Amino acid sequence: MNEELYQEVLLQHSRRPKNLSPLPGATHRAEGVNALCGDEITIELTREGDTLRAVHFQGSGCAICTASASILTCETTGLRAPEARALAEDFRRLAVSGEAAPAVADRPRLAALGTVHRYPQRVKCATLAWETLLAALDHPV
Amino acid sequence: MSSELLPDLERIRADFPFLEVEIAGQPVAYLDNGASTQKPRAVIARMAEVAAHEYANVHRGIHLLSQRASELYEAARVRAAAFFGAARPEDVVFTRGTTEALNIVAGAWGEAHVQAGDTILLTELEHHANLVPWLELARRKGARVEYVPILPNGAGLDPEAARRLLAARPRVFAFAHVSNTLGVTNPVAEWCALAREIGVTTVVDGAQSAGHLPVDVTALGCDFFACSAHKFAGPSGIGLLIGRAEALAATPPWLYGGDMVERVTYTGATYRDAPGRFEAGTPAIIEAAGLHAALDYLDTLDLPRIAAHADALAEQAAAGLRVIPGVRVFGPEGRRAGLVTFHVEDVHAHDIAFACDERGVAVRAGHHCAQPLMRKLGAPSSCRMSFYLYNTGDEVIRGLAAVQAALAFFRRA
């Protein structure tokens, strides 16, 4: 089995995802669909002023998709909205091209996900949650 | 079971250069024939020969090359008519594929004949290609769409419900001959006979049956039949819409331009009869020759034996999958039209397909272009192994081993 793609940290997040539940009192929400496979992810978050107090996800996807969503909730909780947006953009670049901006290079879990750029058929799996986060930031409930 | 496998399998495999390809250092085990099939040398060589020495535009000009190109293009039509039992070559329209053929029926025939309040009858197992064009037509016209329901686990369509919904006289009944997701084979002749008695137009999506089992559209009794060459060892980019002469005559043009007109003035135009009426612009000439060669190739074999071969492999795969804990196999018991779709409760289809790919085994993962069906079956994403005449029992064993390895990896604590 491919252990470069399926690194232990990702397997842990896919088997026991963090923040996989509805978020009562969410202020923002978006649903994302991977048109290639039909996987659906919902991201909900609570914003206080500019800060993301809580970020949750729902839905089921492959190991990469689930791990990415779980890691996203961990990495973005407590960030200010513009920081979360910038991180999502940085992660998208990492997943597509392998180019690691400082913000993602400093986060080992994101760097682990970044190996996905060597497997073009799996890039969408990794970016779905982050695209959905960007949509959620623009969609107050 | 193995007695149903083709005895001359090694010779058949030698006809397909694709099988020499290596993936991940191993010979490819191509188990995604439901999506598209590989081409024999005869098809590849014929297309190269036409491109090299016989190519010109069709139906244009006096020069010899154009005449020859027209002849080979029309010869492909005659061949397809004979292969699929069309009453006349003129009843065979070349399209880009099944999707385009079904869009012609829903878009052009439907536009002219479906009205507000009419019912369009489909089934719950349709591919998006035989679903979305009808939904769009219904939206434009204010028509209703009803569905023949699927039985539990996708074992088949409910036969009682099918008869009842058909007896209610929908304007049109459009359904798959063989389901690309479940391997269900529908009783086309029975449904078309019932429909004919009460004046219901029938449309058969033959993408998964044409070239896989014997198809005689006249015996089936449908008004329209659609299929794609790439699903039966022919090239992509060409398919067929076969219609009864009356049904095609009742279908307006859908794409306008050269080759489909009789007489054009600055104020209007008159249009040719079928099939030319539906073939505006320069058609897929090289692909038509490839389609012709594919039908010739299939005729050197025996379609019932090809079908039995694919069924035996699918049953071998289904039997191997059923004994794996947590694996759910969809579709009918017994004959399953050469494919098996399965869902694993705790490991995602993408991860399984990726593990297969690492072992050189190509399987499909996803929704199989049948999202509503997979949602209804409770498996938004699943894996499919689909077989054709060149697949082997060893390839099934490799596929099963890859699935087992994936489950072992993702299930370890």
Side-chain angles (χ1 to χ4, degrees), chain B residues 259-274:
Chain B
D259 233 21
M260 52 79 69
V261 285
E262 287 175 336
R263 186 160 186 278
V264 184
T265 68
Y266 284 120
T267 54
T270 59
Y271 306 114
R272 295 170 64 188
D273 292 332

Side-chain angles (χ1 to χ4, degrees), chain A:
Chain A
M1 201 62 201
N2 188 314
E3 308 215 350
E4 179 193 45
L5 178 63
Y6 294 111
Q7 294 186 31
E8 194 53 39
V9 60
L10 305 187
L11 290 173
Q12 283 169 15
H13 275 274
S14 76
R15 289 197 194 102
R16 284 175 291 279
K18 312 282 189 203
N19 304 309
L20 172 61
S21 61
L23 180 58
T27 59
H28 293 68
R29 173 186 297 126
E31 292 172 14
V33 179
N34 183 345
L36 297 178
C37 64
D39 284 351
E40 296 175 354
I41 285 242
T42 301
I43 298 271
E44 291 181 304
L45 54 94
T46 317
R47 245 171 96 161
E48 275 177 28
D50 215 9
T51 303
L52 310 191
R53 280 289 161 230
V55 183
H56 281 211
F57 83 102
Q58 295 169 73
S60 74
C62 63
I64 300 300
C65 178
T66 304
S68 184
S70 172
I71 290 169
L72 174 150
T73 64
C74 300
E75 296 286 1
T76 57
T77 299
L79 293 187
R80 294 190 307 111
E83 292 169 339
R85 217 181 274 279
L87 189 63
E89 300 286 358
D90 284 346
F91 179 72
R92 181 157 53 189
R93 260 194 304 283
L94 174 72
V96 170
S97 69
E99 175 197 334
V104 297
D106 289 347
R107 292 172 160 85
R109 293 180 290 198
L110 293 188
L113 274 171
T115 59
V116 77
H117 78 269
R118 296 198 192 105
Y119 308 93
Q121 70 273 40
R122 302 304 295 273
V123 168
K124 261 291 209 185
C125 312
T127 55
L128 177 62
W130 296 83
E131 307 283 358
T132 310
L133 171 70
L134 287 170
L137 288 168
D138 292 330
H139 282 92
V141 173

Side-chain angles (χ1 to χ4, degrees), chain B residues 308-393:
Chain B
H309 176 82
D311 282 349
L313 294 173
E315 190 43 46
Q316 180 191 348
L321 288 163
R322 276 196 205 95
V323 299
I324 302 174
V327 173
R328 186 176 161 204
V329 174
F330 298 113
E333 299 295 323
R335 299 213 90 107
R336 44 179 54 253
L339 65 89
V340 56
T341 297
F342 61 99
H343 178 250
V344 183
E345 60 186 6
D346 55 337
V347 182
H348 193 277
H350 262 187
D351 296 312
I352 294 171
F354 193 82
C356 291
D357 189 53
E358 288 202 300
R359 288 164 177 74
V361 181
V363 303
R364 174 84 186 261
H367 50 57
H368 319 296
C369 294
Q371 288 182 22
L373 171 64
M374 297 318 293
R375 241 175 257 128
K376 175 146 187 175
L377 294 173
S381 197
S382 59
C383 282
R384 179 184 68 189
M385 298 181 188
S386 49
F387 304 96
Y388 203 26
L389 69 170
Y390 38 67
N391 288 123
T392 68

Side-chain angles (χ1 to χ4, degrees), chain B residues 15-16 37-50 54 72-80 83-84 94 211 229-230 232-235 238 240 284-301 306 388-389:
Chain B
D15 291 337
F16 289 82
T37 58
Q38 303 302 335
K39 292 65 174 109
R41 279 175 221 285
V43 169
I44 297 164
R46 180 64 189 131
M47 292 175 73
E49 178 60 19
V50 171
E54 298 176 40
L72 74 85
Y73 183 70
E74 292 306 322
R77 196 190 307 279
V78 171
R79 188 74 185 80
F83 192 92
F84 293 111
F94 286 122
H230 75 91
F232 54 78
I238 191 164
L240 306 171
I285 300 161
I286 297 168
E287 289 76 8
L291 183 153
H292 189 156
L295 297 179
D296 285 348
Y297 180 80
L298 291 175
D299 259 353
T300 65
L301 304 163
I306 291 172
Y388 203 26
L389 69 170

